[in-house]
Amino acid sequence: MTDRVALITGASSGIGLELARLFARDGHDLVLVARRQDRLRALADELTDRYDVQLTVIAADLADPSAPAEIARRVAAAGLEVELLVNNAGYGLAGEFIRTDAATELRMIQVNIAALTHLSKLFLPRMVAEHQGRIMNVASTAGFVPGPLMAVYYATKAYVISFSLALAEELRQCGVTVTVLCPGATRTEFQERAGLDLEARAFRGPWVADAASVARAGYQGMLRGKRLVVPGVFNKIMVATARLASPALLAKAVRRVQESVR
Ligand code: NAP
């Protein structure tokens, strides 16, 4: 007998943590993945106190290329089957590409792109064989535009959008859905970790969302099998505009925004 679970990466804070609360509220057993085990355990305790759900915590560094296979091995060893996969873990780094730390950016590519791809590769075959399952990949509105002064991060999110939409189409008739969630600026630990200025005006307007509402939009979109979820009116307008504008013009506009948050 295997138990069906939702696996969420990056559940130790921000959007991933709020997603875990929503899944648990609806009775899903969960596997929580991130590096900070203490945070994951505290969340697991909170959720098992409030809801009738089983929680499994896996502390893993997704910058390690061997992490996805090890996670899949531990999931199987625990007799669990991943029916819902949320690839949410990710981070950014601000700065001119010529000055930013190469190792941090290469690890970012591993976390934001390679681990997400590898986990999908590992858990999809079972979903397809059973004609049920859902994947949610967390990208960003940043994935629709070139991102001077945060170039690698924006490019990783462009990959996530392209990959997710392509996979959704491949799986169209398999009973498995793929949703890509594209939040705009959201109050989490992301900005501080990326080296962005939290006091900047860009992070103080009504367009800045809270993690709970972003998680809700993604969760509902995933349940409905939506391919693309852009939460918030401001972000929807931004994405629609970006689709019409020239890439060179967009790069100039994004550069101005990025200059204002450093
Ligand atoms: P956050 O509060 O910093 O959460 C990031 C999560 O990713 C944490 O749980 C972190 O856990 C995990 N993570 C980071 N590096 C990891 C690694 N090497 N191995 C395993 N887990 C790792 O930021 P957030 O805003 O909720 O970010 C969630 C997703 O939303 C990210 O993909 C981000 O790019 C995307 N997003 C955020 C915004 C925003 O403005 N906040 C906007 C658009 C998109 P540990 O540190 O414990 O490992």
Side-chain angles (χ1 to χ4, degrees):
M1 270 293 283
T2 52
D3 285 330
R4 294 177 180 201
V5 295
L7 186 148
I8 304 175
T9 68
S12 61
S13 71
I15 297 166
L17 182 149
E18 295 297 341
L19 280 165
R21 288 187 171 136
L22 293 173
F23 279 91
R25 186 200 62 188
D26 285 354
H28 292 286
D29 292 339
L30 290 172
V31 178
L32 306 178
V33 177
R35 289 166 304 173
R36 288 171 293 178
Q37 193 167 14
D38 52 336
R39 295 263 200 122
L40 295 179
R41 287 215 185 286
L43 177 61
D45 290 345
E46 173 200 314
L47 298 179
T48 46
D49 281 352
R50 289 182 68 181
Y51 308 108
D52 183 19
V53 288
Q54 301 289 321
L55 268 289
T56 305
V57 163
I58 300 182
D61 183 352
L62 292 172
D64 176 350
S66 67
E70 176 60 15
I71 291 167
R73 191 195 64 71
R74 288 182 60 182
V75 164
L80 304 173
E81 188 180 320
V82 174
E83 188 180 15
L84 302 154
L85 170 64
V86 180
N87 286 303
N88 161 76
Y91 68 95
L93 179 66
E96 274 179 274
F97 180 71
I98 194 140
R99 296 181 205 285
T100 44
D101 178 50
T104 306
E105 283 171 336
L106 293 174
R107 281 198 302 273
M108 187 202 304
I109 291 170
Q110 188 66 35
V111 175
N112 296 12
I113 294 181
L116 169 147
T117 308
H118 198 176
L119 287 168
S120 304
K121 191 72 126 184
L122 289 163
F123 292 118
L124 249 180
R126 191 77 173 258
M127 294 183 197
V128 170
E130 305 212 340
H131 304 290
Q132 65 178 13
R134 297 187 189 280
I135 294 181
M136 184 190 336
N137 292 329
V138 181
S140 168
T141 50
F144 293 97
V145 292
L149 306 181
M150 215 169 167
V152 176
Y153 175 72
Y154 277 58
T156 65
K157 295 304 184 180
Y159 172 94
V160 176
I161 294 170
S162 175
F163 170 68
S164 304
L165 294 176
L167 199 56
E169 176 57 27
E170 280 189 28
L171 298 170
R172 190 159 52 96
Q173 283 164 339
C174 293
V176 178
T177 61
V178 181
T179 298
V180 60
L181 171 63
C182 299
T186 309
R187 274 179 295 273
T188 66
E189 296 174 15
F190 175 87
Q191 284 77 13
E192 200 176 345
R193 180 153 187 218
L196 296 167
D197 177 10
L198 279 172
E199 298 306 313
R201 217 179 90 67
F203 296 130
R204 285 188 282 119
W207 50 83
V208 182
D210 60 90
S213 63
V214 169
R216 239 180 353 260
Y219 185 68
Q220 284 162 2
M222 185 199 69
L223 290 184
R224 290 190 197 118
K226 281 184 75 173
R227 293 188 181 189
L228 177 67
V229 177
V230 179
V233 177
F234 178 84
N235 296 320
K236 286 186 176 68
I237 293 169
M238 183 267 172
V239 167
T241 310
R243 284 177 155 164
L244 299 173
S246 87
L249 202 68
L250 284 171
K252 279 193 194 347
V254 174
R255 183 188 185 123
R256 272 199 288 276
V257 173
Q258 285 299 327
E259 279 169 348
S260 76
V261 295
R262 300 188 59 219

